[in-house]
Each structure stands twice: as structure tokens, then as C-alpha cells.
Amino acid sequence: MAGKFQDFISELFEPLGGVAFRRMFGGVGIFKGGIMFALTIDDALYLKTDEASRPRFIAEGVGPFVFDSRGKTVTTSYWRLPERLLDEPEAFAEWAAQALAIAERLHKPKSGKVRKPAPKPGR
């Protein structure tokens, strides 16, 4: 994501504060606090969804981000942002905040190796 679209999207996300953009899998992941809650591919923006939020997207006539991997179609939980929201900053901020809340709720921290506590002296 480069140029005018990136600048435009960056401005839309400003109300959330501290949003970072990282290149990944042919697009750009959009993160806050290390948690990805949106992505862009080919100048299309997708937001993280869950079962409760998807009806909003369906009602807007948009669908999920889908890609092929090893001959299989993979459907993600990221759904395309309705185009109208690109011209409605307040509504966009509400949808983006909801996507962030969903991502934060569903985030599972990467588990590191579990260390056994050191034995106490004298035992």
C-alpha cells in the first residue's frame, strides 16, 4: 500500500491513535498494540469481524477476504469495508473501533516456552 491510498487510509485511522501499517502477504496489515485488526489488499480495506458483527457487512453487500492456498480456498474473518464509509469518517471510526475491539477480544498471545521455577535453596 503506497501513495495516496495509504495516506488516505492513515488519515481515516487517526482517531484510533497509534495505528501501525506493516507489509505482509501481498498487502498491508493494520495493527494497534501489536494486534492486527484490518488489512488492505489491492486498494481494498478489510476489517476484522466475528459472528455478531458480520450481519452489518452482509447487509452492506460486501464479503470476506478470500485467497487460495495450496489449491484450497481460504475464507478469512476480515470483511471488506463498505465503500461508503471511506466518505464518512465518523462512521468509519466506529466500524474500525469495533474491528479493533473484536481483534483484541479474540487475540491469543503467542505462548513462549514455559519455564519450571528454579528450585528453592535447601530442597
Side-chain angles (χ1 to χ4, degrees), residues 19-78:
V19 173
F21 296 83
R22 291 188 214 147
R23 288 198 170 282
M24 54 192 316
F25 48 79
V28 175
I30 302 169
F31 296 78
K32 180 164 182 171
I35 299 172
M36 188 169 131
F37 69 99
L39 65 94
T40 63
I41 303 262
D42 298 327
D43 288 348
L45 179 61
Y46 298 84
L47 298 176
K48 180 79 170 169
T49 66
D50 63 7
E51 291 293 324
S53 67
R54 275 185 214 119
R56 287 177 92 179
F57 290 83
I58 293 167
E60 294 278 350
V62 295
F65 174 60
V66 178
F67 64 94
D68 290 324
S69 176
R70 299 181 185 155
K72 294 184 180 183
T73 300
V74 177
T75 302
T76 72
S77 61
Y78 291 87

Short mmCIF file of all heavy atoms in Angstrom, two decimals, residues 19-78:
data_model
loop_
_atom_site.label_atom_id
_atom_site.label_comp_id
_atom_site.label_asym_id
_atom_site.label_seq_id
_atom_site.Cartn_x
_atom_site.Cartn_y
_atom_site.Cartn_z
N VAL A 19 -1.89 3.60 15.33
CA VAL A 19 -2.08 2.52 14.36
C VAL A 19 -0.82 2.40 13.51
O VAL A 19 -0.26 3.39 13.06
CB VAL A 19 -3.33 2.80 13.48
CG1 VAL A 19 -3.46 1.79 12.37
CG2 VAL A 19 -4.59 2.79 14.34
N ALA A 20 -0.38 1.16 13.32
CA ALA A 20 0.83 0.88 12.53
C ALA A 20 0.47 0.05 11.30
O ALA A 20 -0.44 -0.78 11.35
CB ALA A 20 1.84 0.13 13.39
N PHE A 21 1.20 0.30 10.23
CA PHE A 21 1.00 -0.42 8.97
C PHE A 21 2.24 -1.27 8.70
O PHE A 21 3.35 -0.75 8.76
CB PHE A 21 0.79 0.58 7.82
CG PHE A 21 -0.45 1.41 7.98
CD1 PHE A 21 -0.45 2.55 8.78
CD2 PHE A 21 -1.62 1.05 7.33
CE1 PHE A 21 -1.59 3.31 8.93
CE2 PHE A 21 -2.77 1.81 7.47
CZ PHE A 21 -2.76 2.94 8.28
N ARG A 22 2.03 -2.57 8.40
CA ARG A 22 3.15 -3.47 8.09
C ARG A 22 2.85 -4.27 6.84
O ARG A 22 1.80 -4.91 6.74
CB ARG A 22 3.37 -4.46 9.24
CG ARG A 22 3.88 -3.85 10.49
CD ARG A 22 4.27 -4.93 11.48
NE ARG A 22 3.99 -4.43 12.81
CZ ARG A 22 3.59 -5.14 13.83
NH1 ARG A 22 3.44 -6.44 13.71
NH2 ARG A 22 3.36 -4.59 14.99
N ARG A 23 3.82 -4.26 5.92
CA ARG A 23 3.68 -5.05 4.69
C ARG A 23 3.65 -6.53 5.05
O ARG A 23 4.46 -6.99 5.85
CB ARG A 23 4.84 -4.79 3.75
CG ARG A 23 4.80 -3.44 3.12
CD ARG A 23 5.71 -3.39 1.89
NE ARG A 23 5.48 -2.17 1.16
CZ ARG A 23 4.44 -1.95 0.36
NH1 ARG A 23 3.56 -2.89 0.17
NH2 ARG A 23 4.31 -0.80 -0.27
N MET A 24 2.72 -7.26 4.44
CA MET A 24 2.64 -8.69 4.64
C MET A 24 1.77 -9.33 3.57
O MET A 24 0.86 -8.70 3.04
CB MET A 24 2.11 -9.01 6.04
CG MET A 24 0.80 -8.36 6.40
SD MET A 24 0.33 -8.44 8.14
CE MET A 24 0.69 -10.09 8.58
N PHE A 25 2.06 -10.55 3.24
CA PHE A 25 1.34 -11.36 2.25
C PHE A 25 0.70 -10.58 1.11
O PHE A 25 -0.47 -10.72 0.83
CB PHE A 25 0.32 -12.31 2.91
CG PHE A 25 -0.59 -11.70 3.94
CD1 PHE A 25 -1.69 -10.95 3.59
CD2 PHE A 25 -0.33 -11.89 5.27
CE1 PHE A 25 -2.53 -10.40 4.53
CE2 PHE A 25 -1.16 -11.33 6.24
CZ PHE A 25 -2.26 -10.60 5.87
N GLY A 26 1.48 -9.78 0.44
CA GLY A 26 1.00 -9.06 -0.73
C GLY A 26 0.13 -7.86 -0.42
O GLY A 26 -0.42 -7.24 -1.32
N GLY A 27 -0.01 -7.53 0.82
CA GLY A 27 -0.82 -6.39 1.22
C GLY A 27 -0.18 -5.71 2.41
O GLY A 27 1.03 -5.78 2.61
N VAL A 28 -1.03 -5.09 3.22
CA VAL A 28 -0.56 -4.40 4.41
C VAL A 28 -1.48 -4.76 5.57
O VAL A 28 -2.71 -4.64 5.47
CB VAL A 28 -0.55 -2.87 4.19
CG1 VAL A 28 -0.19 -2.14 5.48
CG2 VAL A 28 0.42 -2.49 3.09
N GLY A 29 -0.87 -5.22 6.67
CA GLY A 29 -1.63 -5.46 7.89
C GLY A 29 -1.70 -4.17 8.68
O GLY A 29 -0.75 -3.38 8.69
N ILE A 30 -2.82 -3.94 9.33
CA ILE A 30 -3.03 -2.72 10.12
C ILE A 30 -3.17 -3.15 11.57
O ILE A 30 -4.04 -3.97 11.90
CB ILE A 30 -4.25 -1.94 9.61
CG1 ILE A 30 -4.03 -1.59 8.12
CG2 ILE A 30 -4.48 -0.69 10.44
CD1 ILE A 30 -5.24 -1.04 7.41
N PHE A 31 -2.30 -2.61 12.42
CA PHE A 31 -2.16 -3.06 13.80
C PHE A 31 -2.32 -1.91 14.79
O PHE A 31 -2.02 -0.76 14.49
CB PHE A 31 -0.74 -3.60 14.03
CG PHE A 31 -0.41 -4.82 13.23
CD1 PHE A 31 -0.08 -4.74 11.88
CD2 PHE A 31 -0.40 -6.07 13.83
CE1 PHE A 31 0.25 -5.86 11.15
CE2 PHE A 31 -0.08 -7.20 13.11
CZ PHE A 31 0.25 -7.11 11.77
N LYS A 32 -2.75 -2.27 15.99
CA LYS A 32 -2.69 -1.36 17.13
C LYS A 32 -2.29 -2.21 18.32
O LYS A 32 -2.89 -3.26 18.57
CB LYS A 32 -4.01 -0.66 17.39
CG LYS A 32 -3.88 0.27 18.60
CD LYS A 32 -4.96 1.26 18.73
CE LYS A 32 -4.63 2.11 19.96
NZ LYS A 32 -5.45 3.22 20.10
N GLY A 33 -1.27 -1.77 19.02
CA GLY A 33 -0.80 -2.53 20.16
C GLY A 33 -0.34 -3.93 19.80
O GLY A 33 -0.48 -4.86 20.59
N GLY A 34 0.19 -4.09 18.59
CA GLY A 34 0.67 -5.39 18.15
C GLY A 34 -0.40 -6.35 17.69
O GLY A 34 -0.12 -7.50 17.35
N ILE A 35 -1.64 -5.91 17.66
CA ILE A 35 -2.76 -6.77 17.27
C ILE A 35 -3.30 -6.31 15.92
O ILE A 35 -3.69 -5.14 15.76
CB ILE A 35 -3.88 -6.74 18.33
CG1 ILE A 35 -3.34 -7.26 19.66
CG2 ILE A 35 -5.08 -7.55 17.86
CD1 ILE A 35 -4.29 -7.08 20.82
N MET A 36 -3.35 -7.22 14.96
CA MET A 36 -3.87 -6.89 13.64
C MET A 36 -5.39 -6.88 13.67
O MET A 36 -6.01 -7.84 14.13
CB MET A 36 -3.37 -7.91 12.61
CG MET A 36 -3.70 -7.52 11.19
SD MET A 36 -2.81 -8.57 10.03
CE MET A 36 -4.16 -9.03 8.96
N PHE A 37 -5.99 -5.79 13.17
CA PHE A 37 -7.44 -5.69 13.15
C PHE A 37 -7.99 -5.28 11.79
O PHE A 37 -9.21 -5.21 11.60
CB PHE A 37 -7.93 -4.72 14.24
CG PHE A 37 -7.59 -3.28 13.98
CD1 PHE A 37 -8.53 -2.42 13.45
CD2 PHE A 37 -6.32 -2.79 14.28
CE1 PHE A 37 -8.22 -1.08 13.20
CE2 PHE A 37 -6.00 -1.46 14.05
CZ PHE A 37 -6.96 -0.61 13.51
N ALA A 38 -7.10 -5.03 10.84
CA ALA A 38 -7.53 -4.67 9.49
C ALA A 38 -6.40 -5.00 8.53
O ALA A 38 -5.26 -5.23 8.94
CB ALA A 38 -7.88 -3.19 9.42
N LEU A 39 -6.73 -5.02 7.24
CA LEU A 39 -5.71 -5.24 6.22
C LEU A 39 -6.16 -4.61 4.92
O LEU A 39 -7.36 -4.36 4.71
CB LEU A 39 -5.41 -6.73 6.03
CG LEU A 39 -6.50 -7.64 5.50
CD1 LEU A 39 -6.38 -7.79 4.00
CD2 LEU A 39 -6.36 -9.01 6.14
N THR A 40 -5.19 -4.32 4.08
CA THR A 40 -5.50 -3.81 2.74
C THR A 40 -4.82 -4.71 1.72
O THR A 40 -3.70 -5.16 1.93
CB THR A 40 -5.04 -2.36 2.52
OG1 THR A 40 -3.63 -2.30 2.62
CG2 THR A 40 -5.69 -1.42 3.51
N ILE A 41 -5.53 -4.96 0.65
CA ILE A 41 -5.01 -5.70 -0.48
C ILE A 41 -5.59 -5.02 -1.71
O ILE A 41 -6.81 -4.80 -1.79
CB ILE A 41 -5.46 -7.18 -0.46
CG1 ILE A 41 -5.05 -7.87 0.82
CG2 ILE A 41 -5.00 -7.91 -1.71
CD1 ILE A 41 -3.81 -8.69 0.79
N ASP A 42 -4.73 -4.68 -2.67
CA ASP A 42 -5.18 -4.07 -3.93
C ASP A 42 -6.12 -2.88 -3.70
O ASP A 42 -7.19 -2.79 -4.30
CB ASP A 42 -5.86 -5.11 -4.82
CG ASP A 42 -4.92 -6.23 -5.22
OD1 ASP A 42 -3.71 -5.96 -5.38
OD2 ASP A 42 -5.40 -7.37 -5.38
N ASP A 43 -5.73 -1.98 -2.82
CA ASP A 43 -6.51 -0.78 -2.51
C ASP A 43 -7.92 -1.07 -2.02
O ASP A 43 -8.84 -0.26 -2.17
CB ASP A 43 -6.56 0.17 -3.71
CG ASP A 43 -5.21 0.86 -3.95
OD1 ASP A 43 -4.33 0.78 -3.06
OD2 ASP A 43 -5.06 1.48 -5.00
N ALA A 44 -8.12 -2.23 -1.40
CA ALA A 44 -9.38 -2.56 -0.73
C ALA A 44 -9.05 -2.74 0.75
O ALA A 44 -8.02 -3.31 1.10
CB ALA A 44 -9.99 -3.82 -1.30
N LEU A 45 -9.92 -2.26 1.61
CA LEU A 45 -9.71 -2.33 3.05
C LEU A 45 -10.66 -3.36 3.65
O LEU A 45 -11.85 -3.38 3.33
CB LEU A 45 -9.97 -0.95 3.66
CG LEU A 45 -9.82 -0.81 5.16
CD1 LEU A 45 -8.41 -1.13 5.61
CD2 LEU A 45 -10.19 0.61 5.59
N TYR A 46 -10.12 -4.20 4.51
CA TYR A 46 -10.88 -5.25 5.19
C TYR A 46 -10.73 -5.09 6.69
O TYR A 46 -9.65 -4.79 7.18
CB TYR A 46 -10.36 -6.64 4.79
CG TYR A 46 -10.51 -6.94 3.32
CD1 TYR A 46 -9.55 -6.50 2.41
CD2 TYR A 46 -11.61 -7.64 2.83
CE1 TYR A 46 -9.68 -6.76 1.05
CE2 TYR A 46 -11.74 -7.91 1.48
CZ TYR A 46 -10.77 -7.47 0.60
OH TYR A 46 -10.90 -7.74 -0.75
N LEU A 47 -11.83 -5.30 7.43
CA LEU A 47 -11.82 -5.19 8.89
C LEU A 47 -12.10 -6.55 9.52
O LEU A 47 -12.86 -7.37 8.98
CB LEU A 47 -12.90 -4.21 9.36
CG LEU A 47 -12.78 -2.76 8.89
CD1 LEU A 47 -13.98 -1.95 9.38
CD2 LEU A 47 -11.48 -2.14 9.38
N LYS A 48 -11.53 -6.77 10.70
CA LYS A 48 -11.75 -8.00 11.46
C LYS A 48 -13.22 -8.07 11.87
O LYS A 48 -13.81 -7.08 12.29
CB LYS A 48 -10.85 -7.99 12.71
CG LYS A 48 -10.98 -9.21 13.58
CD LYS A 48 -10.21 -10.34 13.00
CE LYS A 48 -10.13 -11.50 13.98
NZ LYS A 48 -9.61 -12.70 13.32
N THR A 49 -13.80 -9.26 11.75
CA THR A 49 -15.20 -9.46 12.12
C THR A 49 -15.33 -10.66 13.06
O THR A 49 -14.38 -11.43 13.25
CB THR A 49 -16.08 -9.73 10.88
OG1 THR A 49 -15.69 -10.98 10.30
CG2 THR A 49 -15.98 -8.61 9.86
N ASP A 50 -16.52 -10.81 13.60
CA ASP A 50 -16.89 -12.00 14.35
C ASP A 50 -18.34 -12.32 13.99
O ASP A 50 -18.95 -11.63 13.16
CB ASP A 50 -16.69 -11.81 15.85
CG ASP A 50 -17.55 -10.72 16.47
OD1 ASP A 50 -18.42 -10.15 15.77
OD2 ASP A 50 -17.35 -10.41 17.66
N GLU A 51 -18.89 -13.34 14.58
CA GLU A 51 -20.27 -13.75 14.26
C GLU A 51 -21.27 -12.61 14.47
O GLU A 51 -22.20 -12.46 13.69
CB GLU A 51 -20.68 -14.96 15.10
CG GLU A 51 -19.94 -16.24 14.76
CD GLU A 51 -20.28 -16.77 13.37
OE1 GLU A 51 -21.44 -16.64 12.93
OE2 GLU A 51 -19.37 -17.29 12.71
N ALA A 52 -21.08 -11.82 15.52
CA ALA A 52 -22.02 -10.76 15.83
C ALA A 52 -21.93 -9.57 14.87
O ALA A 52 -22.94 -8.92 14.58
CB ALA A 52 -21.82 -10.28 17.26
N SER A 53 -20.73 -9.29 14.36
CA SER A 53 -20.57 -8.11 13.50
C SER A 53 -20.80 -8.39 12.01
O SER A 53 -21.08 -7.48 11.25
CB SER A 53 -19.17 -7.50 13.69
OG SER A 53 -18.16 -8.37 13.21
N ARG A 54 -20.69 -9.64 11.60
CA ARG A 54 -20.81 -9.95 10.17
C ARG A 54 -22.14 -9.55 9.54
O ARG A 54 -22.14 -9.13 8.37
CB ARG A 54 -20.54 -11.43 9.92
CG ARG A 54 -19.08 -11.68 9.80
CD ARG A 54 -18.71 -13.10 9.45
NE ARG A 54 -17.46 -13.34 10.14
CZ ARG A 54 -17.25 -14.25 11.06
NH1 ARG A 54 -18.18 -15.11 11.37
NH2 ARG A 54 -16.09 -14.34 11.65
N PRO A 55 -23.28 -9.63 10.23
CA PRO A 55 -24.52 -9.20 9.59
C PRO A 55 -24.48 -7.76 9.07
O PRO A 55 -25.10 -7.46 8.06
CB PRO A 55 -25.58 -9.38 10.69
CG PRO A 55 -25.04 -10.52 11.51
CD PRO A 55 -23.54 -10.28 11.52
N ARG A 56 -23.75 -6.88 9.73
CA ARG A 56 -23.61 -5.49 9.25
C ARG A 56 -22.97 -5.47 7.87
O ARG A 56 -23.36 -4.72 7.00
CB ARG A 56 -22.70 -4.68 10.17
CG ARG A 56 -23.25 -4.29 11.48
CD ARG A 56 -22.20 -3.57 12.26
NE ARG A 56 -22.29 -2.12 12.01
CZ ARG A 56 -21.50 -1.24 12.57
NH1 ARG A 56 -20.54 -1.61 13.39
NH2 ARG A 56 -21.66 0.04 12.32
N PHE A 57 -21.94 -6.28 7.70
CA PHE A 57 -21.22 -6.35 6.44
C PHE A 57 -22.11 -6.98 5.35
O PHE A 57 -22.15 -6.49 4.23
CB PHE A 57 -19.92 -7.13 6.61
CG PHE A 57 -18.89 -6.40 7.42
CD1 PHE A 57 -18.92 -6.44 8.81
CD2 PHE A 57 -17.88 -5.68 6.81
CE1 PHE A 57 -17.96 -5.78 9.57
CE2 PHE A 57 -16.92 -5.01 7.56
CZ PHE A 57 -16.97 -5.05 8.94
N ILE A 58 -22.79 -8.04 5.72
CA ILE A 58 -23.69 -8.71 4.78
C ILE A 58 -24.77 -7.74 4.31
O ILE A 58 -25.08 -7.67 3.11
CB ILE A 58 -24.29 -9.98 5.41
CG1 ILE A 58 -23.18 -11.02 5.63
CG2 ILE A 58 -25.41 -10.55 4.55
CD1 ILE A 58 -23.58 -12.19 6.51
N ALA A 59 -25.33 -6.98 5.24
CA ALA A 59 -26.37 -6.00 4.90
C ALA A 59 -25.86 -4.94 3.93
O ALA A 59 -26.63 -4.38 3.14
CB ALA A 59 -26.92 -5.34 6.17
N GLU A 60 -24.56 -4.67 3.97
CA GLU A 60 -23.94 -3.68 3.08
C GLU A 60 -23.55 -4.29 1.73
O GLU A 60 -23.05 -3.60 0.85
CB GLU A 60 -22.69 -3.07 3.73
CG GLU A 60 -22.99 -2.24 4.95
CD GLU A 60 -23.41 -0.82 4.63
OE1 GLU A 60 -23.31 -0.39 3.46
OE2 GLU A 60 -23.84 -0.12 5.56
N GLY A 61 -23.72 -5.62 1.60
CA GLY A 61 -23.43 -6.29 0.33
C GLY A 61 -21.96 -6.54 0.07
O GLY A 61 -21.55 -6.66 -1.08
N VAL A 62 -21.16 -6.63 1.13
CA VAL A 62 -19.74 -6.91 0.97
C VAL A 62 -19.43 -8.30 1.53
O VAL A 62 -20.22 -8.88 2.25
CB VAL A 62 -18.87 -5.83 1.66
CG1 VAL A 62 -19.06 -4.48 0.98
CG2 VAL A 62 -19.17 -5.74 3.14
N GLY A 63 -18.24 -8.81 1.18
CA GLY A 63 -17.88 -10.15 1.59
C GLY A 63 -16.50 -10.21 2.21
O GLY A 63 -15.80 -9.21 2.35
N PRO A 64 -16.10 -11.43 2.56
CA PRO A 64 -14.81 -11.62 3.23
C PRO A 64 -13.64 -11.61 2.26
O PRO A 64 -13.81 -11.78 1.05
CB PRO A 64 -14.96 -13.02 3.85
CG PRO A 64 -15.86 -13.73 2.90
CD PRO A 64 -16.84 -12.68 2.43
N PHE A 65 -12.46 -11.43 2.83
CA PHE A 65 -11.23 -11.59 2.07
C PHE A 65 -11.00 -13.08 1.90
O PHE A 65 -11.00 -13.84 2.87
CB PHE A 65 -10.05 -10.94 2.80
CG PHE A 65 -8.73 -11.19 2.13
CD1 PHE A 65 -8.52 -10.76 0.83
CD2 PHE A 65 -7.72 -11.85 2.78
CE1 PHE A 65 -7.30 -10.99 0.19
CE2 PHE A 65 -6.51 -12.09 2.16
CZ PHE A 65 -6.30 -11.65 0.86
N VAL A 66 -10.84 -13.51 0.66
CA VAL A 66 -10.67 -14.92 0.31
C VAL A 66 -9.40 -15.04 -0.52
O VAL A 66 -9.11 -14.19 -1.36
CB VAL A 66 -11.88 -15.43 -0.50
CG1 VAL A 66 -11.70 -16.87 -0.92
CG2 VAL A 66 -13.17 -15.25 0.29
N PHE A 67 -8.63 -16.10 -0.27
CA PHE A 67 -7.44 -16.34 -1.07
C PHE A 67 -7.25 -17.85 -1.25
O PHE A 67 -7.84 -18.65 -0.53
CB PHE A 67 -6.20 -15.69 -0.44
CG PHE A 67 -5.80 -16.26 0.89
CD1 PHE A 67 -4.85 -17.27 0.99
CD2 PHE A 67 -6.38 -15.78 2.07
CE1 PHE A 67 -4.48 -17.79 2.22
CE2 PHE A 67 -6.00 -16.28 3.30
CZ PHE A 67 -5.06 -17.29 3.38
N ASP A 68 -6.43 -18.20 -2.23
CA ASP A 68 -6.12 -19.60 -2.50
C ASP A 68 -4.80 -19.95 -1.86
O ASP A 68 -3.83 -19.20 -1.95
CB ASP A 68 -6.05 -19.88 -4.00
CG ASP A 68 -7.43 -19.78 -4.65
OD1 ASP A 68 -8.41 -20.18 -4.01
OD2 ASP A 68 -7.51 -19.32 -5.80
N SER A 69 -4.76 -21.10 -1.21
CA SER A 69 -3.53 -21.60 -0.60
C SER A 69 -3.44 -23.09 -0.83
O SER A 69 -4.31 -23.85 -0.39
CB SER A 69 -3.52 -21.30 0.90
OG SER A 69 -2.38 -21.85 1.52
N ARG A 70 -2.41 -23.47 -1.56
CA ARG A 70 -2.17 -24.89 -1.85
C ARG A 70 -3.39 -25.58 -2.44
O ARG A 70 -3.77 -26.68 -2.04
CB ARG A 70 -1.70 -25.61 -0.59
CG ARG A 70 -0.42 -25.06 -0.05
CD ARG A 70 0.05 -25.79 1.16
NE ARG A 70 1.23 -25.11 1.69
CZ ARG A 70 1.60 -25.17 2.94
NH1 ARG A 70 0.92 -25.88 3.80
NH2 ARG A 70 2.68 -24.53 3.32
N GLY A 71 -4.02 -24.90 -3.38
CA GLY A 71 -5.16 -25.47 -4.07
C GLY A 71 -6.48 -25.42 -3.33
O GLY A 71 -7.49 -25.95 -3.80
N LYS A 72 -6.50 -24.78 -2.16
CA LYS A 72 -7.74 -24.66 -1.38
C LYS A 72 -8.09 -23.19 -1.20
O LYS A 72 -7.21 -22.34 -1.06
CB LYS A 72 -7.58 -25.31 -0.01
CG LYS A 72 -7.38 -26.81 -0.08
CD LYS A 72 -7.34 -27.41 1.30
CE LYS A 72 -7.14 -28.93 1.18
NZ LYS A 72 -7.15 -29.58 2.46
N THR A 73 -9.37 -22.91 -1.17
CA THR A 73 -9.84 -21.55 -0.94
C THR A 73 -9.94 -21.31 0.56
O THR A 73 -10.57 -22.11 1.27
CB THR A 73 -11.20 -21.32 -1.61
OG1 THR A 73 -11.04 -21.53 -3.02
CG2 THR A 73 -11.71 -19.91 -1.37
N VAL A 74 -9.32 -20.24 1.02
CA VAL A 74 -9.34 -19.88 2.44
C VAL A 74 -10.18 -18.62 2.59
O VAL A 74 -9.92 -17.61 1.94
CB VAL A 74 -7.91 -19.64 2.97
CG1 VAL A 74 -7.94 -19.21 4.43
CG2 VAL A 74 -7.05 -20.88 2.77
N THR A 75 -11.19 -18.68 3.45
CA THR A 75 -12.04 -17.53 3.76
C THR A 75 -11.62 -17.01 5.13
O THR A 75 -11.60 -17.75 6.10
CB THR A 75 -13.52 -17.92 3.76
OG1 THR A 75 -13.86 -18.48 2.49
CG2 THR A 75 -14.41 -16.72 4.05
N THR A 76 -11.29 -15.73 5.18
CA THR A 76 -10.82 -15.14 6.43
C THR A 76 -11.96 -14.47 7.20
O THR A 76 -13.08 -14.34 6.71
CB THR A 76 -9.73 -14.08 6.16
OG1 THR A 76 -10.34 -12.93 5.58
CG2 THR A 76 -8.63 -14.64 5.26
N SER A 77 -11.63 -14.01 8.39
CA SER A 77 -12.59 -13.26 9.21
C SER A 77 -12.49 -11.76 8.97
O SER A 77 -13.06 -10.97 9.70
CB SER A 77 -12.37 -13.57 10.69
OG SER A 77 -11.06 -13.18 11.07
N TYR A 78 -11.75 -11.38 7.92
CA TYR A 78 -11.64 -9.97 7.53
C TYR A 78 -12.60 -9.72 6.38
O TYR A 78 -12.53 -10.38 5.34
CB TYR A 78 -10.20 -9.63 7.11
CG TYR A 78 -9.26 -9.68 8.28
CD1 TYR A 78 -8.65 -10.87 8.67
CD2 TYR A 78 -9.01 -8.53 9.03
CE1 TYR A 78 -7.80 -10.91 9.76
CE2 TYR A 78 -8.16 -8.57 10.12
CZ TYR A 78 -7.56 -9.76 10.49
OH TYR A 78 -6.73 -9.80 11.57
#
